[in-house]
Amino acid sequence: MSQNLLASLGLDRPESGDDTVVPFTLDKLDSRGRTVRLGAALDAILSRHDYPLPVARLLGEAVVLAALIGSSLKFEGRFILQTQTDGPVNLIVVDFDAPDGMRGYARYDHDALVKASEAGKTSPAELLGNGHLAMTIDQGAHMERYQGIVALTGNSLEEVAHTYFLQSEQIPTRVRMAVAQMSTKGDHRPRWRAGGMLIQHLPPSGIGAMADLPGNGDFDDPAMADPDHVEADGWTEARSMLATVDDLELVDPDLSPERLLFRLYHETGVRVFPPQTLEERCTCSVERIEDMLVNSFSDEERQDMAVDGEIEIVCEFCSTAYRFNPHQFQN
């Protein structure tokens, strides 16, 4: 390729690696998207708690999804992804602090997880069970929060993401995600890796991109669908190509996001933008914990929390232990 062509495609730079998000556009297909590749940052999140493998994979998918969505924020706010369900993994919380910080935590029922594993029911849908997924955009103390809630009824996180965008933004969206452990020669243990790609159809203003949103929320109800709607050819091609991506391509450390995008969309053209680095970063601190203890508990409650004269608070995300003397908060 000529240097001018590489520059026009955004490829006149070194290929990006792990812990990055790469935005891109498919101009001829009226689509745009982001691809995420996670390495050390995800490994830190998942390895810190020594989660069972099925739980770690599910939390890894949630972290990828939060990074794909949260990285689109144009301000320094927070995107929060949270599931609450009746399945073996009954709670997942992932925070994405724009523009680049991530942390995540999963809570699970050990006995229920063992029973599910013995029965071979460890797919994301089976681990989640029934409940809901909430996606919250927190723009700061003086701004109103925005929250979208989607039912979880045995669907994968990929399928739930598709429903979320249809219901909340009415934008045709497709997501692919993969999480895996990979071994490197000389390393003492396998490392967690993950990758994901999100594409959205954004045609020129005034052109219908999807059928009318069903009034009863049932996308499979033919009575509620627009019988005259015809999906745009560009979107059909964009999402069909994404569907061909296999899990290994998404997590392969030797296949950069740029090479994967070019492999998928070189015939119609893809333009990539500079990568944005991501990092595992917890927002807990001594000051935050002190404020919580002062504002949420009385002197008597703090005394009851003390063991051997100390209050110990352990961050669920990063496992950092904070210790306080209960008397230090008395006026």
Side-chain angles (χ1 to χ4, degrees), residues 188-209:
H188 69 284
R189 68 172 178 85
R191 303 282 175 173
W192 285 103
R193 299 182 54 77
M197 190 179 299
L198 176 151
I199 59 171
Q200 296 181 309
H201 185 46
L202 297 167
S205 178
I207 299 177

Side-chain angles (χ1 to χ4, degrees), residues 39-268:
L42 181 70
D43 188 67
I45 292 171
L46 300 185
S47 300
R48 181 177 290 121
H49 291 279
D50 194 24
Y51 292 111
L53 292 181
V55 179
R57 288 195 181 93
L58 181 57
L59 177 57
E61 285 193 7
V63 172
V64 173
L65 182 57
L68 285 169
I69 300 175
S71 59
S72 68
L73 298 182
K74 305 302 182 185
F75 50 86
E76 291 190 1
R78 178 181 295 180
F79 174 79
I80 305 163
L81 182 154
Q82 180 172 332
T83 69
Q84 287 188 298
T85 65
D86 61 3
V89 182
N90 49 59
L91 176 70
I92 292 176
V93 182
V94 181
D95 287 350
F96 186 94
D97 285 306
D100 58 4
M102 304 179 300
R103 64 177 188 168
Y105 167 74
R107 185 182 67 201
Y108 61 96
D109 182 317
H110 179 269
D111 293 340
L113 182 64
V114 170
K115 186 178 295 185
S117 298
E118 291 174 346
K121 297 181 178 180
T122 58
S123 69
E126 291 166 328
L127 291 178
L128 288 170
N130 299 315
H132 70 268
L133 179 145
M135 299 190 190
T136 306
I137 297 176
D138 185 351
Q139 303 179 69
H142 305 293
M143 300 291 288
E144 186 176 353
R145 280 189 169 197
Y146 169 80
Q147 186 176 75
I149 298 177
V150 182
L152 280 169
T153 54
N155 298 321
S156 68
L157 288 181
E158 287 183 0
E159 294 172 344
V160 170
H162 301 159
T163 302
Y164 167 80
F165 279 102
L166 283 175
Q167 291 183 346
S168 65
E169 301 183 29
Q170 298 194 38
I171 299 175
T173 302
R174 285 294 181 271
V175 176
R176 276 286 289 115
M177 300 183 294
V179 179
Q181 279 187 310
M182 302 189 75
S183 299
T184 303
K185 186 176 181 180
D187 203 347
H188 69 284
R189 68 172 178 85
R191 303 282 175 173
W192 285 103
R193 299 182 54 77
M197 190 179 299
L198 176 151
I199 59 171
Q200 296 181 309
H201 185 46
L202 297 167
S205 178
I207 299 177
M210 58 172 285
D212 290 340
L213 188 68
N216 62 3
D218 183 359
F219 293 93
D220 296 320
D221 183 353
M224 302 305 297
D226 180 356
D228 299 320
H229 176 76
V230 177
E231 184 175 81
D233 292 341
W235 174 239
T236 300
E237 182 170 355
R239 66 173 179 79
S240 297
M241 294 306 297
L242 177 60
T244 67
V245 177
D246 62 38
D247 289 356
L248 180 58
E249 288 179 301
L250 290 171
V251 302
D252 187 351
D254 297 322
L255 179 62
S256 70
E258 291 85 354
R259 286 182 181 270
L260 177 56
L261 287 168
F262 186 75
R263 177 184 292 181
L264 288 174
Y265 298 110
H266 65 277
E267 291 186 359
T268 55

